[in-house]
Amino acid sequence: MIYLDYNATAPYSSSVKSFLRDEAENLWANPSSEYEAGVQLDSIIQQDREIIADFLGCPSGRLFFTSGATESISTVLSESNLKSFGLNSVISNKMEHYATLDNLKILGMQGFTIHWLENNEHGELDLEHLKVLCTENPNSLVSLLYVNNETGVINDVHEIVQIAHEQNCLVHIDGVQALGKVRFSIEDIECDFISFSGHKIGALKGVGLLFADEPKKVFPLIRGGGQEYGLRAGTYNLLGIHSFKLAVGDIDFNILSELRMMRDRFEERLLGINSKFGVNAEKSKRAPNVSNVYLGGCDARAILYQLSREGIMVSTGSACSSGTPEPSHVIQALGFDTDYAKSSLRLSLGALSTWKELQTTLAVLRGQFK
Ligand code: PLP
């Protein structure tokens, strides 16, 4: 199998694999129980939180475990939470993940105004427009991606936070695809909220993180117990949390330059197959593991199935929306029509990707376009 869909989910990282094999079966007690077995597991969670906070560059008291980035984002983008922070509108962008867009739809129905930040055809946000929106709408929440999951475009989150804070706006960053792909520290970014997901870096599915700079003001989405200092109730997902810490420990930034080289070489060779082919957001600053390619009008879904028959896994849009025939909303938000979006394919590489795999993929594509 050739797995080129790391932005959908990553295989378990090496420490997570050993943990599942050697240790997980003994860690079944409830970490909130008062007897020794529970207390021990609770101390694992607290240590894991410390280690992850250290890696992310933030105080551990501002980091909360959730069931995934969708929950973290939904917590921030809820009516009660926005009210708790005295916010009356949201500034966001059409290229966001559905975890954000679907919450914005509800917020719009609940009376909040959603202001859409413009972007160009390369997927770059218009920060002059952001200045205008923040100036005209102080007390807004700015909610934007760090790295776009489909194009890999990296947004300048430092600049975004500076612009927003100058006008009294708060900032939430969807940091899911930046973790392990971009070196950053939350302390440097100075955002008010940032969301992460465990399974994108090789942890178990069903665990996420929310950083909140003012946790006492956060209105919990899930209530019913005192876990996570009341910010997120529910029995602890100990295996998920511990796997998150282990996966963070396995992040190796040294592989990124190799991934970039492979990705760039792949794109160069791909463009040589057919003069109508293109690379979406090619001119932008991109995460080194993502390649979103335009297949010259050919149906990308048909190519995806063909690649799948050859044991090669890629994507035509975000995993959450696959199964629906809608072409990628991100590619359409770049200003392209649905036919163009239907002809776009995403490959995303990760720790185990090799040039040989990309060569095999190129050979299959060459065969298709002979
Ligand atoms: N945000 C981005 C950019 C994503 O890529 C994803 C996953 O597809 C999510 C949010 C949702 O993350 P989770 O699967 O942890 O709910």
Side-chain angles (χ1 to χ4, degrees):
M1 168 174 110
I2 295 180
Y3 188 69
L4 298 173
D5 201 16
Y6 277 74
N7 277 15
T9 197
Y12 298 132
S13 74
S14 56
S15 308
V16 172
K17 256 195 265 182
S18 335
F19 166 69
L20 294 177
R21 194 182 49 231
D22 303 333
E23 294 174 63
E25 68 174 310
N26 299 319
L27 304 180
W28 49 264
N30 188 331
S32 303
S33 297
E34 288 179 61
Y35 40 79
E36 192 50 29
V39 172
Q40 274 179 12
L41 295 196
D42 186 62
S43 79
I44 291 180
I45 291 175
Q46 301 318 335
Q47 278 170 28
D48 290 347
R49 193 194 313 275
E50 293 286 339
I51 290 168
I52 298 174
D54 211 41
F55 178 87
L56 294 174
C58 69
S60 61
R62 294 184 190 167
L63 212 50
F64 302 91
F65 291 109
T66 63
S67 68
T70 301
E71 185 192 320
S72 306
I73 294 167
S74 301
T75 302
V76 177
L77 295 177
S78 77
E79 178 185 22
S80 309
N81 190 55
L82 293 191
K83 283 187 176 159
S84 174
F85 280 85
L87 302 162
N88 49 30
S89 60
V90 182
I91 298 169
S92 191
N93 173 265
K94 297 251 165 89
M95 296 182 295
E96 291 292 305
H97 190 272
Y98 278 114
T100 293
L101 294 178
D102 284 353
N103 277 298
L104 294 183
K105 213 185 280 175
I106 304 291
L107 286 172
M109 283 161 24
Q110 288 165 334
F112 290 86
T113 312
I114 313 301
H115 305 280
W116 295 107
L117 174 63
E118 284 162 14
N119 58 270
N120 64 19
E121 72 272 28
H122 308 301
E124 293 161 324
L125 299 175
D126 182 344
L127 296 190
E128 286 306 314
H129 187 218
L130 180 64
K131 276 183 201 160
V132 173
L133 288 176
C134 290
T135 309
E136 287 175 356
N137 305 283
N139 303 322
S140 290
L141 175 72
V142 176
S143 187
L144 292 166
L145 285 158
Y146 197 150
V147 173
N148 186 287
N149 46 302
E150 293 197 34
T151 60
V153 172
I154 303 174
N155 293 326
D156 187 344
V157 291
H158 297 83
E159 178 77 11
I160 287 168
V161 171
Q162 212 179 329
I163 292 170
H165 281 181
E166 269 169 23
Q167 303 302 332
N168 237 346
C169 295
L170 298 187
V171 182
H172 165 246
I173 302 292
D174 174 346
V176 169
Q177 301 289 354
L179 192 55
K181 311 297 180 336
V182 180
R183 285 177 193 266
F184 64 85
S185 138
I186 295 177
E187 197 177 30
D188 287 347
I189 298 174
E190 293 184 334
C191 56
D192 304 279
F193 307 95
I194 184 163
S195 299
F196 298 107
S197 170
H199 72 100
K200 307 287 184 181
I201 61 162
L204 292 174
K205 283 148 192 73
V207 62
L209 275 169
L210 173 63
F211 162 86
D213 197 40
E214 284 190 275
K216 288 210 172 85
K217 274 175 131 179
V218 175
F219 196 92
L221 184 70
I222 297 181
R223 301 174 288 277
Q227 293 93 346
E228 292 301 81
Y229 313 97
L231 195 141
R232 200 282 180 182
T235 303
Y236 276 110
N237 171 9
L238 178 95
L239 296 186
I241 290 170
H242 195 56
S243 73
F244 204 153
K245 175 241 152 175
L246 293 170
V248 162
D250 284 341
I251 287 176
D252 179 5
F253 289 110
N254 295 319
I255 66 164
L256 296 182
S257 53
E258 179 69 20
L259 289 185
R260 183 183 301 281
M261 253 164 46
M262 288 199 293
R263 190 271 312 267
D264 291 350
R265 204 171 348 152
F266 170 82
E267 289 180 347
E268 196 189 304
R269 305 265 164 107
L270 183 97
L271 294 179
I273 295 177
N274 188 310
S275 61
K276 286 195 201 138
F277 285 4
V279 175
N280 295 318
E282 187 183 13
K283 293 196 165 59
S284 304
K285 191 172 170 200
R286 286 183 295 157
N289 67 314
V290 186
S291 183
N292 195 310
V293 294
Y294 170 64
L295 298 175
C298 174
D299 181 10
R301 202 163 277 265
I303 298 296
L304 178 147
Y305 293 137
Q306 181 55 34
L307 289 168
S308 171
R309 280 190 284 276
E310 305 279 345
I312 302 169
M313 267 135 254
V314 297
S315 157
T316 53
S318 69
C320 310
S321 62
S322 58
T324 55
E326 278 295 296
S328 159
H329 70 284
V330 175
I331 302 302
Q332 291 183 73
L334 300 179
F336 296 111
D337 61 19
T338 51
D339 284 344
Y340 183 102
K342 279 184 192 158
S343 189
S344 293
L345 199 68
R346 178 189 75 184
L347 294 86
S348 46
L349 320 182
L352 304 175
S353 302
T354 62
W355 173 239
K356 196 160 179 288
E357 291 180 332
L358 292 181
Q359 279 179 307
T360 307
T361 308
L362 282 165
V364 174
L365 290 171
R366 251 182 230 116
Q368 286 297 304
F369 291 94
K370 263 204 307 247

